[in-house]
């Protein structure tokens, strides 16, 4: 299951969460520590670059946050990021530089790397989206199994236990998810992978592959 390791999915040069991620083997291991990491990091950010706009909420001065957006801490919003109309950030969220959090998008306990985009009607919970990762309109991460059992990741006949009841998706750098797709709990999308619109994704989509259907995952040409 090497494809699920942090170094296989993400370039840590593109996130303020690098010190946290670099200490771990698997991406989901940082999720329980994310809130405290943000609380400790926030006060150390440059006051020339960031403003503390609310308790435990730090926003870069070059970022744009719509007046109608709701941002709860702990949260950091990076330089030139956009948080658009009626976005709802529920806390434990690190939004990278030039990232886009669009209209009516909800974030909870997640990391968006620099230039990640969730621009229209997306839900991202207990998830990590890599550098330049993009969710099409209406695409969501499902972070809780219907039977409330612990999330496991299955790939090529192997099973990797995460030990987590809530885990959304791990979306590698440059991955593209089509409109109205659902990433089931514990989905892993490799770097530069692609998911067709209206898909229901389970397990792993390898790097540089296209998910057309559950039985049709093909290498990019």
């Amino acid at each position: 299951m090497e494809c699920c390791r942090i170094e296989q999915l993400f370039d840590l040069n593109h996130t303020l969460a690098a010190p946290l991620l670099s200490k771990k083997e698997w991406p989901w291991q940082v999720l329980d520590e994310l809130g405290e990491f943000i609380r400790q990091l926030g006060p150390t950010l440059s006051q020339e670059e960031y403003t503390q706009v609310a308790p435990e909420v730090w926003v870069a001065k070059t970022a744009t946050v719509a007046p109608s957006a709701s941002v709860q801490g702990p949260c950091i919003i990076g330089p030139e990021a956009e948080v658009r109309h009626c976005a709802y950030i529920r806390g434990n969220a690190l939004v990278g530089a030039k990232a886009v959090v669009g209209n009516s998008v909800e974030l909870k306990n997640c990391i968006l790397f620099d230039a990640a985009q969730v621009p229209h009607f997306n839900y991202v919970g207990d998830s990590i989206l890599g550098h330049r990762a993009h969710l099409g309109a209406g695409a969501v991460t499902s972070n809780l199994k219907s039977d409330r059992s612990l999330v496991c990741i299955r790939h090529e006949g192997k099973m990797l236990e995460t030990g987590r009841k809530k885990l959304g998706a791990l979306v590698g750098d440059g991955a593209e998810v089509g409109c109205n797709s659902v990433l089931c709990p514990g989905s892993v999308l490799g770097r530069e992978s692609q998911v067709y619109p209206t898909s229901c994704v389970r397990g792993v989509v390898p790097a540089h592959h296209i998910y057309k259907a559950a039985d049709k995952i093909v290498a990019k040409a």
Side-chain angles (χ1 to χ4, degrees):
M1 301 288 274
E2 291 294 316
C3 58
C4 298
R5 296 185 186 275
I6 289 171
E7 64 270 18
Q8 296 297 320
L9 292 169
F10 308 115
D11 180 351
L12 299 188
N13 291 311
H14 295 288
T15 179
L16 288 175
L20 180 61
L21 287 158
S22 64
K23 298 177 182 178
K24 304 295 183 181
E25 181 178 12
W26 308 107
W28 54 86
Q29 292 175 327
V30 308
L31 294 176
D32 285 339
E33 302 176 23
L34 181 57
E36 184 58 29
F37 175 79
I38 294 171
R39 290 186 183 97
Q40 293 182 11
L41 177 61
T44 72
L45 295 172
S46 168
Q47 293 185 9
E48 294 182 357
E49 188 174 7
Y50 285 85
T51 301
Q52 185 173 358
V53 299
E56 300 184 342
V57 177
W58 294 268
V59 178
K61 294 180 180 179
T62 57
T64 302
V65 179
S68 59
S70 175
V71 182
Q72 299 176 1
C75 176
I76 294 173
I77 298 172
E80 299 182 64
E82 293 183 52
V83 180
R84 296 174 179 167
H85 178 64
C86 288
Y88 179 27
I89 299 179
R90 289 169 50 194
N92 290 0
L94 202 164
V95 178
K98 298 184 178 180
V100 175
V101 181
N103 59 297
S104 303
V105 167
E106 181 177 347
L107 303 184
K108 171 253 183 187
N109 199 39
C110 62
I111 299 171
L112 270 58
F113 274 56
D114 298 344
Q117 295 190 345
V118 285
H120 311 286
F121 305 105
N122 308 109
Y123 172 71
V124 181
D126 301 285
S127 299
I128 302 176
L129 272 60
H131 179 227
R132 298 183 298 101
H134 176 262
L135 301 190
V140 299
T141 65
S142 174
N143 61 343
L144 181 65
K145 296 174 66 175
S146 58
D147 63 1
R148 306 303 197 263
S149 62
L150 299 181
V151 176
C152 296
I153 299 172
R154 291 176 171 82
H155 181 55
E156 295 181 340
K158 298 179 181 180
M159 184 176 70
L160 183 60
E161 297 181 358
T162 70
R164 294 189 59 84
K165 185 176 180 180
K166 287 191 175 183
L167 175 61
L170 308 169
V171 182
D173 295 341
E176 177 76 29
V177 180
C179 295
N180 290 323
S181 292
V182 176
L183 305 181
C184 293
S187 296
V188 179
L189 308 186
R191 295 189 191 205
E192 305 294 338
S193 60
Q194 182 179 348
V195 172
Y196 270 21
T198 69
S199 296
C200 183
V201 179
R202 298 180 185 275
V204 176
V205 180
H208 303 284
H209 278 64
I210 302 173
Y211 183 102
K212 298 183 177 182
D215 58 352
K216 193 172 185 181
I217 302 175
V218 301
K220 285 187 173 181

